[in-house]
Amino acid sequence: MILFMTSSPCDNNVPEGVCLPCVLNAENGFVDRLKKDWKPDSRCVIICADPDNYDMNNEMAETFQSAFQYHGLTICDMEICDSRKADETERMVSESDVVILGGGHVPTQNEFFQRIGLPGIIKDFDGIVIGISAGTMNCAELVYAQPELPGESEDPEFRRFIPGLGLTELMILPHYQKVKDCLLDGKRLYEDITYPDSYGRKFYTLVDGSYVYVKEGKTIIFGEAGLIEDGKIRQISENGGFYEV
């Protein structure tokens, strides 16, 4: 398995004359590295975060199929795994060269992954897995479900640590540049919620355009990234650089 865990692989700065919602973010060698690992005419499946939002899931599949093909990453099929075809998950994964784990609400996606038995199905997958935001977070053996929606940080029944897919030990927090100054339930998302949760643990922050690459037993973070542990954060890599975990 080759694993790309992204914050967001999208670049909304679409070249003039290109009629697409987005293209892939080529920063930090992402597109070049993906091209080296990509099989021509790959079969893909996107496993969604919101299994019942069919319109959004259709749009997401179309967007990524178009973006991949724009960069010369040819696709012969793009299937969608949501509630419509949940009972076909094992077949879709086994027939695919690329599995895309979509973005969305981490606990909602996690529950869907558990319901369809994805941890057991994907563990022996021999292809490319691309995590996007929540999909990246749910790759972890133990997932830190950072509170996101109003009320979650104060709900005693909200589980902040949940079993994931077991593809990595890294607990990743995407979109750091967008959410680092956010407030939730009257508290600072990082200083008042996430930092206290980091005691005895390590959280890796990624900005959009950064990603974690796992291949042949090596885990490397490409691009700007930070490490939160024991209530403090420090930068471990900058844009254009890398950090081997």
Side-chain angles (χ1 to χ4, degrees), residues 2-3 47 57 74-76 81 91 111 113 117 124 137 183-184 193 221:
I2 300 170
L3 184 57
I47 305 179
N57 297 341
T74 57
I75 295 173
C76 71
C81 179
R91 193 254 325 149
E111 188 278 330
F113 283 179
D124 296 321
M137 297 171 75
L183 298 176
L184 181 68
I193 299 173
I221 301 174

Side-chain angles (χ1 to χ4, degrees), residues 28-97:
N28 301 298
F30 175 71
V31 173
D32 291 340
R33 198 158 280 112
L34 190 56
K35 283 183 175 180
K36 290 179 181 178
D37 295 322
W38 194 275
K39 294 180 180 179
D41 298 325
S42 284
R43 296 180 61 91
C44 303
V45 59
I46 183 165
I47 305 179
C48 302
D50 187 343
D52 299 320
N53 194 336
Y54 302 150
D55 289 341
M56 182 184 74
N57 297 341
N58 291 343
E59 181 180 355
M60 187 182 303
E62 292 172 5
T63 295
F64 282 107
Q65 181 168 356
S66 298
F68 289 138
Q69 293 181 330
Y70 170 79
H71 291 275
L73 301 162
T74 57
I75 295 173
C76 71
D77 189 33
M78 172 73 83
E79 290 200 88
I80 300 171
C81 179
D82 56 18
S83 293
R84 292 170 290 188
K85 299 173 76 172
D87 58 346
E88 297 183 49
T89 302
E90 186 169 7
R91 193 254 325 149
M92 287 188 281
V93 170
S94 67
E95 292 179 356
S96 294
D97 303 296

Side-chain angles (χ1 to χ4, degrees), residues 123-187:
K123 65 179 181 179
D124 296 321
F125 176 67
D126 185 22
I128 296 172
V129 175
I130 302 173
I132 301 170
S133 190
T136 284
M137 297 171 75
N138 276 316
C139 283
E141 183 172 352
L142 181 66
V143 178
Y144 175 54
Q146 185 183 46
E148 176 184 355
L149 302 179
E152 286 183 342
S153 75
E154 299 178 326
D155 184 354
E157 296 185 4
F158 181 81
R159 298 170 61 203
R160 299 190 188 187
F161 295 93
I162 51 181
L165 295 178
L167 304 182
T168 179
E169 293 183 357
L170 272 60
M171 289 184 275
I172 298 171
L173 300 176
H175 314 304
Y176 181 69
Q177 86 287 356
K178 291 182 179 179
V179 301
K180 63 185 180 69
D181 297 319
C182 284
L183 298 176
L184 181 68
D185 302 324
K187 293 172 283 190

